[in-house]
Amino acid sequence: MKSTQVTPMTSTKDQDKPHHLCYLTGDEIAVNPIDMALQNQIAKLTGGISPASVLLAWTDWAIHLAVSPGKQMDLINLLQKQVLEWPGFLSAMLPAESKENPPAQPPAAQDNRFQYPGWNSWPYNAMSQTFLQSQQFWHEATMGIRGVTGHHENVVNFTARQLLDMMSPSNFPLLNPEVIEATKESAGKNLLSGAAHWMQDNGLEMKSPDNHQHTRPSDQLAYQPGRDVALTPGKVIFRNHLIELIQYSPQTSKVYAEPVLIVPSWIMKYYILDLSPHNSMVRFLVEQGHTVFMISWRNPDRNDRDLGMHDYLELGLYAALDKIAHATHHQPIHTVGYCLGGTLLAIGAAALAKDNATNTKPAIAPIATVSLLAAQTDFREPGELGLFIDESQLAMLDAQMWEQGYLAGEQMTGSFQLLNSRDLIWSKLMRDYQLGIRNEPNDLMSWNADTTRMPYRMHSEYLKHLFLHNDLAEGRYEVNGHAIALNDIHAPMYVVGTAKDHVSPWRSVYKIHFLTGAPIEFILASGGHNAGIVSEPGHAHRSFQIQPQNQHSKAYADPDEWLGRAQTQPGSWWIHWQEWLKKHSEGNQVKARHPHADPELGDAPGTYIFEK
């Protein structure tokens, strides 16, 4: 993988002339700081969205639509059909008719904005139906036009959907029958509660109309690490500039010989895997007799702008493996990676396998198994995140990070919210600020608000070489100057996809079957990217799908074929995973290992978890 670190092409005496510096990336593209400064200001105005990227997509769409008279006729026919539907819901105006009519154009199954019965009565039915018809029209208008590139088609459809969602009648209190009714019934208290929620979210204080108490400041987490979550006992046994390595205390007298190393994503903090005691994956593994180690990533600041993927590999994964090897007398290690941590683990495992095969460097530690949880290794079809991935968009993102040296957690969160703006932005605003209703936070919601930053160089490398160029899947990704291939991994693999994942779509996760000949146990868990992984035993409505043992075959099966064969198992996939780990462990257990660490390093959950 080529470096993208930016280095100045000037002598030391010229460094006091920043407007004349010319920078060169590892890909030999000159970057002028004047250009970066201007693009940085544009990014601030557009929220990091590249106007050039959006304009190119709409131009591609408009030109091809203009030379598609057949498509134009289809759209005209659709408009005529929609006009003919109007008498059905306009008839509610007539006294002899029922005051409630079912919608002629029902919303999508996952669209809850118009479920309130009042939307079926005049005039609200006309508003909702007009909106849904517009939504249907623009979906048809932006999709299926010959000649438009797939990426541009998705961008046009996405931006049209965003603009439409902004204009939904459910967003406006005077047009929303649910808000109007709530205001009448509560004599306006819902609006006062909504105002209190708005002030809380903006760091202000206001007394609640119900309990006359000040609301909690917006920057105070409902569930505090070390007090409410991240409670599994353990000690920090190693710390460097990038990680703290936590070893958890045993809760059984004997343990499996092979330790477990968990590599979480550094997009968010590690304790999603150690939430409350009842849903902590770490606690579950420890109670099953595993010696568990966890990487806790440091939250980088502007001084860490030049930390790259190589640093996360060397100072993160490799440093942890080396320390665990010494602590457990070089026992093979069960490695587990979640999300981006899983991608890093796959990279590291492939590089170590190549080093071992070629004897190019001493082995760090033997890897017993590799478990990838909602982690992509092929990024050709990354789902809706691909909307933000093209050369123009990445150049704009680079400019956005250039001044501050990192991507802020709020900026990352904003991107994810845009992917599902209907529920995560507009419906939430209506519920919180207009109805004055706010769900009580749970541990997962609180963790989600505890954001982290991404170093400039690392995030640029990650997006460019993995998402944009798909170097890892196509054999071009380099570690220490040498290309690696996941086909060098021979350790058994346990791969988890989640059915409703918008971050790592399960069909994309499934593509690991293309990339390695290692034995793979693939399971599809119910839920999304986070809730599908935090799936503790006893959690209601949890299930997972797995291919029956008698149907396992060495022949490749595509995702849909696999899904057709898979059987649904009720309950948590953790229990199945534990049996798989047991199967790939030595039969004889050893005396429980207690963490031995410098007292100055402190107890779990460490110090890096508290960095803001």
Side-chain angles (χ1 to χ4, degrees):
M1 182 189 70
K2 297 179 181 178
S3 169
T4 56
Q5 183 175 7
V6 176
T7 54
M9 297 176 57
T10 62
S11 63
T12 304
K13 66 180 181 180
D14 292 330
Q15 291 184 5
D16 59 343
K17 302 176 181 179
H19 294 293
H20 299 288
L21 289 178
C22 183
Y23 287 77
L24 199 65
T25 69
D27 289 330
E28 306 301 322
I29 299 175
V31 178
N32 192 294
I34 299 176
D35 298 340
M36 295 292 273
L38 174 59
Q39 292 168 19
N40 177 266
Q41 295 303 311
I42 295 173
K44 290 178 180 178
L45 292 174
T46 63
I49 301 297
S50 167
S53 180
V54 176
L55 181 60
L56 284 171
W58 278 92
T59 301
D60 186 9
W61 169 81
I63 290 173
H64 285 91
L65 179 61
V67 295
S68 302
K71 180 69 172 181
Q72 295 172 26
M73 290 298 298
D74 290 342
L75 295 175
I76 292 172
N77 290 337
L78 176 60
L79 282 174
Q80 291 174 341
K81 177 183 175 182
Q82 290 179 339
V83 169
L84 292 176
E85 292 172 352
W86 270 72
F89 53 86
L90 286 178
S91 63
M93 297 173 60
L94 302 175
E97 297 288 339
S98 169
K99 291 187 178 181
E100 290 192 4
N101 281 352
Q105 176 63 44
Q110 67 273 22
D111 189 346
N112 299 319
R113 287 174 293 187
F114 304 113
Q115 284 190 340
Y116 183 71
W119 286 109
N120 292 331
S121 301
W122 175 265
Y124 307 109
N125 64 335
M127 299 177 195
S128 63
Q129 285 297 294
T130 301
F131 173 79
L132 291 171
Q133 287 183 337
S134 299
Q135 189 172 257
Q136 181 192 28
F137 176 84
W138 278 104
H139 176 77
E140 294 296 327
T142 56
M143 303 295 287
I145 299 175
R146 284 172 50 84
V148 180
T149 66
H151 176 65
H152 286 165
E153 180 181 70
N154 291 333
V155 169
V156 170
N157 180 265
F158 174 78
T159 52
R161 194 167 73 240
Q162 298 304 309
L163 293 171
L164 282 171
D165 284 344
M166 288 174 58
M167 302 307 297
S168 170
S170 61
N171 298 338
F172 301 94
L174 294 180
L175 304 180
N176 189 324
E178 187 174 6
V179 175
I180 293 171
E181 187 62 27
T183 304
K184 289 179 181 178
E185 291 182 356
S186 67
K189 283 187 177 181
N190 60 307
L191 300 179
L192 289 175
S193 295
H197 294 158
W198 182 87
M199 296 186 73
Q200 173 188 348
D201 292 343
N202 287 275
L204 305 173
E205 286 190 354
M206 179 177 176
K207 289 185 177 180
S208 165
D210 297 320
N211 56 27
H212 305 289
Q213 294 178 352
H214 292 289
T215 57
R216 187 178 67 251
S218 60
D219 60 349
Q220 181 179 330
L221 297 173
Y223 288 75
Q224 293 288 333
R227 186 194 71 187
D228 309 296
V229 290
L231 295 174
T232 305
K235 293 185 179 297
V236 177
I237 65 167
F238 174 74
R239 178 185 295 132
N240 62 23
H241 181 73
L242 190 57
I243 70 166
E244 289 179 330
L245 182 63
I246 299 170
Q247 180 181 352
Y248 292 95
S249 300
Q251 297 184 20
T252 55
S253 59
K254 288 191 174 183
V255 296
Y256 294 100
E258 297 84 357
V260 175
L261 168 64
I262 302 178
V263 186
S265 172
W266 53 92
I267 292 177
M268 301 294 280
K269 294 186 178 178
Y270 83 84
Y271 65 91
I272 184 176
L273 303 176
D274 186 25
L275 286 172
S276 303
H278 73 278
N279 60 359
S280 167
M281 178 183 287
V282 170
R283 185 177 292 267
F284 170 80
L285 290 171
V286 170
E287 288 175 347
Q288 302 305 310
H290 294 284
T291 305
V292 179
F293 296 82
M294 173 74 76
I295 290 177
S296 175
W297 300 99
R298 181 171 173 268
N299 197 3
D301 56 31
R302 64 172 57 248
N303 295 320
D304 300 309
R305 63 183 297 126
D306 289 328
L307 286 175
M309 286 291 289
H310 179 75
D311 298 297
Y312 276 77
L313 194 62
E314 291 286 347
L315 298 177
L317 175 62
Y318 288 174
L321 287 171
D322 184 61
K323 185 65 179 179
I324 295 169
H326 285 89
T328 61
H329 305 292
H330 291 270
Q331 286 287 346
I333 300 171
H334 293 304
T335 56
V336 184
Y338 174 41
C339 186
L340 179 52
T343 305
L344 184 76
L345 173 58
I347 292 170
L352 290 177
K354 180 175 182 177
D355 290 342
N356 291 341
T358 59
N359 295 315
T360 54
K361 62 184 296 187
I364 296 177
I367 290 179
T369 64
V370 176
S371 295
L372 302 180
L373 314 181
Q376 296 182 90
T377 50
D378 186 314
F379 293 82
R380 184 59 59 194
E381 297 175 339
E384 290 193 329
L385 278 177
L387 292 163
F388 305 112
I389 307 298
D390 56 40
E391 291 283 5
S392 177
Q393 185 58 56
L394 294 193
M396 184 61 63
L397 182 60
D398 272 359
Q400 187 178 23
M401 296 187 293
W402 175 73
E403 182 179 48
Q404 59 193 20
Y406 55 81
L407 184 71
E410 295 78 10
Q411 294 167 319
M412 178 73 70
T413 300
S415 297
F416 287 122
Q417 287 178 336
L418 273 179
L419 296 179
N420 188 15
S421 63
R422 179 185 61 217
D423 294 330
L424 298 182
I425 298 179
W426 302 114
S427 293
K428 185 177 185 298
L429 291 179
M430 188 274 287
R431 183 177 177 85
D432 285 4
Y433 300 154
Q434 298 178 22
L435 293 179
I437 300 172
R438 175 162 284 179
N439 293 330
E440 283 297 317
N442 57 34
D443 50 7
L444 190 58
M445 292 168 60
S446 183
W447 163 85
N448 196 53
D450 196 2
T451 59
T452 61
R453 294 175 289 272
M454 305 278 276
Y456 170 37
R457 179 183 175 189
M458 185 285 304
H459 199 50
S460 293
E461 291 177 350
Y462 164 60
L463 292 177
K464 184 171 186 178
H465 294 286
L466 295 178
F467 272 90
L468 184 62
H469 294 156
N470 203 24
D471 287 343
L472 179 59
E474 297 179 9
R476 294 186 300 270
Y477 195 95
E478 294 182 3
V479 174
N480 294 323
H482 300 282
I484 63 166
L486 298 184
N487 196 48
D488 287 330
I489 300 175
H490 300 292
M493 303 184 77
Y494 192 94
V495 181
V496 181
T498 56
K500 298 180 180 179
D501 201 327
H502 296 287
V503 179
S504 301
W506 78 266
R507 285 178 171 81
S508 180
V509 172
Y510 186 87
K511 290 184 177 182
I512 185 68
H513 288 82
F514 283 121
L515 306 178
T516 179
I520 297 174
E521 185 78 75
F522 184 85
I523 73 114
L524 180 61
S526 61
H529 187 71
N530 298 328
I533 299 302
V534 183
S535 184
E536 73 281 3
H539 193 125
H541 311 302
R542 288 289 191 259
S543 64
F544 62 96
Q545 293 170 274
I546 187 169
Q547 189 163 284
Q549 288 295 325
N550 60 1
Q551 294 189 23
H552 275 276
S553 170
K554 292 184 178 180
Y556 171 73
D558 68 32
D560 292 322
E561 186 179 355
W562 180 92
L563 192 61
R565 296 177 184 172
Q567 292 182 350
T568 300
Q569 303 288 334
S572 170
W573 61 267
W574 290 7
I575 297 173
H576 181 270
W577 180 40
Q578 154 60 17
E579 290 299 318
W580 184 86
L581 289 173
K582 180 180 178 181
K583 175 184 174 182
H584 291 91
S585 300
E586 291 182 4
N588 295 327
Q589 294 188 332
V590 300
K591 185 178 178 180
R593 304 183 184 100
H594 292 268
H596 299 286
D598 185 338
E600 293 185 1
L601 293 177
D603 296 331
T607 59
Y608 285 176
I609 194 174
F610 297 106
E611 293 184 338
K612 299 297 184 183

